[in-house]
Amino acid sequence: MNEEYDVIVLGTGLTECILSGIMSVNGKKVLHMDRNSYYGGESASITPLEDLYKRFNIPGSPPECMGRGRDWNVDLIPKFLMANGQLVKMLLFTEVTRYLDFKVIEGSFVYKGGKIYKVPSTEAEALTSSLMGMFEKRRFKKFLSYVANFDENDSKTLECVDPKKTTMRDVYKKFDLGQDVIDFTGHALALYRTDEYLDQPCLETINRIKLYSESLARYGKSPYLYPLYGLGELPQGFARLSAIYGGTYMLNKPIEELVMENGKIVGVKSEGEVARCKQLICDPSYVSDRVTKVGQVIRVICILSHPIKNTNDANSCQIIIPQNQVNRKSDIYVCMISYAHNVAAQGKYIAIVSTTVETNDPEREIKPVLELLEPIEQKFVSISDMYAPTDVGTDSQIFISRTYDPTTHFETTCNDIKDIYKRMMGSEFDFEEMKRKKSDIFGEDQ
């Protein structure tokens, strides 16, 4: 360990493992350490089920009806991959896809007036959806075809909308869309958590709806993918990539000290030894003095023996509860997966509820959503602080990731990765940089 590295990475969360993989592919000498004995950090999948009970201080061991403990891989942070999103692109470019298998999530649903409805995201679905009246359907169909043809560089497609000035509120007005339709378009298609986007320029929202539609067009049932055996497979896949390119991995390493000289990182001390480095990447838990709390997330893992009502018995789905429907400022999400994804015992389902904490009684905030999941066999509640770096790393060369937010996809995580890359390398992130070099097989089957 007493060696000189270009980059040391602390923590094996997804953000850290992807950056570690990119740096290794780019020829950097990388040492990657974690104080835990498992991969994934905050974004781990916990197995066996007994470990989940221990982690949440639930007395006793899981009952017989839960099946074999080893059949469970329970994500601590619920997220899906947008089929046409940035994480899938990263997986394809690095060929980490060869270590993983994915399934398409069976449906996306939205909550309105106490009921669950399928999210209409194609023109054909819009016309048959029970979410809207007949005239509303026609207006929504027009809006969707406008978005599909929208090209900011072709004025003919804009229809007098200025992508950088016209607000999304005005675009909705142009198509005369009602409040309910605005709710599910902004929250279930564009995947905003609050309504702040309404008064911002429309380009970002239109691009988000396009991403949703293009992701949906790939596989048809929903725009989301999920890896078999749980999200913990993702950081491990990128860790393998880093190792193939010479990255060194050490788990179970307590970090005693970050060694600084003149305000700049020069090494990391662990178990009495110092590994020297030029740059450091880490999650907030390793540098509590360089981050600030930006909020809290509540997540409730629920084990069920049945699919969620009104989801056509789907073995996986997402449900979005727009904030307006439950008098809140931010949306509540449900991600549901099951034994079909090798993450639960036969016949069992895992539904994870998550949202930003807004009051002093977070469990009460999500009560209406837990009612949709009844009966619940066992629930595991966590309330986590969210952190953002106060040190951008320019002087210290310490680059800190952001805590995972309550969104149900990885787009914000990928934006964080691109941002850290830019600060470290001084140039914009380029997906091409992630491509495996054709001659670099390093013992892998050709």
Side-chain angles (χ1 to χ4, degrees):
M1 183 171 139
N2 286 329
E3 281 186 55
E4 174 90 36
Y5 295 89
D6 294 314
V7 181
I8 292 180
V9 185
L10 302 181
T12 49
L14 181 62
T15 307
E16 288 73 32
C17 286
I18 292 179
L19 283 162
S20 171
I22 297 168
M23 295 300 160
S24 299
V25 170
N26 280 327
K28 303 260 186 206
K29 187 176 177 186
V30 176
L31 171 64
H32 202 146
M33 297 191 281
D34 194 321
R35 63 167 84 88
N36 296 315
S37 57
Y38 53 85
Y39 282 97
E42 294 296 303
S43 56
S45 302
I46 301 297
T47 184
L49 189 60
E50 289 76 2
D51 284 9
L52 192 70
Y53 272 65
K54 278 186 210 136
R55 191 183 180 96
F56 285 87
N57 299 318
I58 288 171
S61 48
E64 289 279 305
C65 64
M66 294 287 186
R68 281 189 339 175
R70 284 257 160 234
D71 288 343
W72 294 82
N73 286 291
V74 183
D75 300 327
L76 295 177
I77 291 184
K79 283 187 188 284
F80 293 145
L81 291 80
M82 293 292 269
N84 218 28
Q86 301 179 87
L87 182 52
V88 167
K89 213 169 168 182
M90 289 180 183
L91 286 160
L92 290 167
F93 271 69
T94 51
E95 297 176 35
V96 169
T97 40
R98 63 169 83 176
Y99 313 133
L100 303 161
D101 280 319
F102 290 91
K103 269 196 163 169
V104 180
I105 295 299
E106 292 200 342
S108 189
F109 297 84
V110 66
Y111 176 91
K112 177 191 163 191
K115 284 198 180 141
I116 297 174
Y117 297 87
K118 187 162 186 339
V119 175
S121 39
T122 62
E123 293 173 30
E125 275 190 3
L127 291 175
T128 56
S129 170
S130 53
L131 261 175
M132 302 171 273
M134 192 169 81
F135 295 111
E136 189 88 89
K137 282 177 183 171
R138 285 189 189 158
R139 293 194 288 268
F140 182 61
K141 181 174 183 283
K142 267 190 188 153
F143 169 74
L144 279 182
S145 67
Y146 171 74
V147 168
N149 295 320
F150 188 93
D151 176 355
E152 63 176 311
N153 302 314
D154 179 354
S155 57
K156 286 201 291 292
T157 68
L158 303 182
E159 297 178 21
C160 303
V161 167
D162 180 336
K164 296 195 168 68
K165 286 196 185 135
T166 312
T167 66
M168 199 59 208
R169 197 184 292 279
D170 289 337
V171 174
Y172 288 144
K173 267 193 200 132
K174 174 180 163 70
F175 288 91
D176 201 15
L177 298 179
Q179 189 54 50
D180 282 346
V181 178
I182 290 172
D183 263 3
F184 79 70
T185 303
H187 295 265
L189 301 183
L191 300 170
Y192 282 108
R193 286 177 292 162
T194 68
D195 271 348
E196 287 167 10
Y197 80 95
L198 285 169
D199 297 309
Q200 292 164 356
C202 62
L203 181 61
E204 164 80 358
T205 304
I206 287 173
N207 283 336
R208 281 176 170 230
I209 299 169
K210 269 182 177 301
L211 169 64
Y212 190 99
S213 306
E214 286 159 7
S215 295
L216 186 79
R218 285 213 148 174
Y219 301 106
K221 286 182 180 171
S222 86
Y224 302 112
L225 302 175
Y226 182 82
L228 293 185
Y229 300 102
L231 296 174
E233 295 294 296
L234 293 168
Q236 289 190 59
F238 284 100
R240 280 184 72 174
L241 174 73
S242 177
I244 288 164
Y245 282 85
T248 305
Y249 272 78
M250 295 181 183
L251 296 180
N252 248 338
K253 289 293 276 186
I255 306 305
E256 286 152 18
E257 187 193 342
L258 302 186
V259 184
M260 310 291 291
E261 278 175 19
N262 304 323
K264 185 174 182 291
I265 188 79
V266 291
V268 174
K269 187 176 178 187
S270 172
E271 297 174 320
E273 294 183 300
V274 174
R276 297 183 72 76
C277 65
K278 300 183 185 86
Q279 294 182 306
L280 178 82
I281 299 169
C282 64
D283 71 46
S285 69
Y286 289 89
V287 283
S288 53
D289 57 332
R290 292 170 189 267
V291 293
T292 182
K293 184 174 161 182
V294 289
Q296 283 188 311
V297 188
I298 178 169
R299 297 184 176 98
V300 182
I301 299 167
C302 303
I303 293 179
L304 318 174
S305 289
H306 56 87
I308 298 170
K309 291 183 208 69
N310 304 319
T311 59
N312 311 325
D313 290 345
N315 64 31
S316 60
C317 67
Q318 179 194 59
I319 304 169
I320 293 177
I321 296 90
Q323 25 82 297
N324 281 348
Q325 295 290 329
V326 279
N327 299 320
R328 288 171 49 82
K329 295 189 195 76
S330 47
D331 294 359
I332 305 174
Y333 294 118
V334 180
C335 285
M336 197 267 283
I337 49 207
S338 66
Y339 62 94
H341 307 87
N342 303 352
V343 294
Q346 188 63 30
K348 300 288 181 185
Y349 300 76
I350 302 169
I352 309 183
V353 181
S354 61
T355 190
T356 306
V357 172
E358 293 182 1
T359 68
N360 293 329
D361 189 357
E363 286 196 58
R364 191 154 162 250
E365 295 180 44
I366 55 163
K367 196 164 171 285
V369 183
L370 293 178
E371 284 165 6
L372 298 174
L373 308 180
E374 293 291 355
I376 297 167
E377 281 189 34
Q378 180 65 55
K379 62 180 190 189
F380 307 86
V381 181
S382 70
I383 293 162
S384 322
D385 292 340
M386 286 196 293
Y387 294 101
T390 49
D391 174 2
V392 294
T394 319
D395 298 324
S396 66
Q397 291 298 296
I398 296 174
F399 301 93
I400 307 157
S401 60
R402 299 176 76 90
T403 313
Y404 300 97
D405 63 19
T407 56
T408 61
H409 51 75
F410 285 103
E411 296 307 297
T412 47
T413 304
C414 292
N415 291 341
D416 191 28
I417 290 165
K418 287 159 76 172
D419 181 46
I420 292 172
Y421 178 93
K422 184 180 175 182
R423 283 184 276 135
M424 285 183 76
M425 309 292 276
S427 58
E428 289 290 340
F429 177 86
D430 180 358
F431 282 101
E432 291 292 328
E433 293 282 306
M434 299 183 73
K435 278 203 168 159
R436 288 192 177 196
K437 319 295 182 268
K438 284 291 163 258
S439 57
D440 295 355
I441 305 296
F442 280 119
E444 290 236 315
D445 296 330
Q446 295 190 33

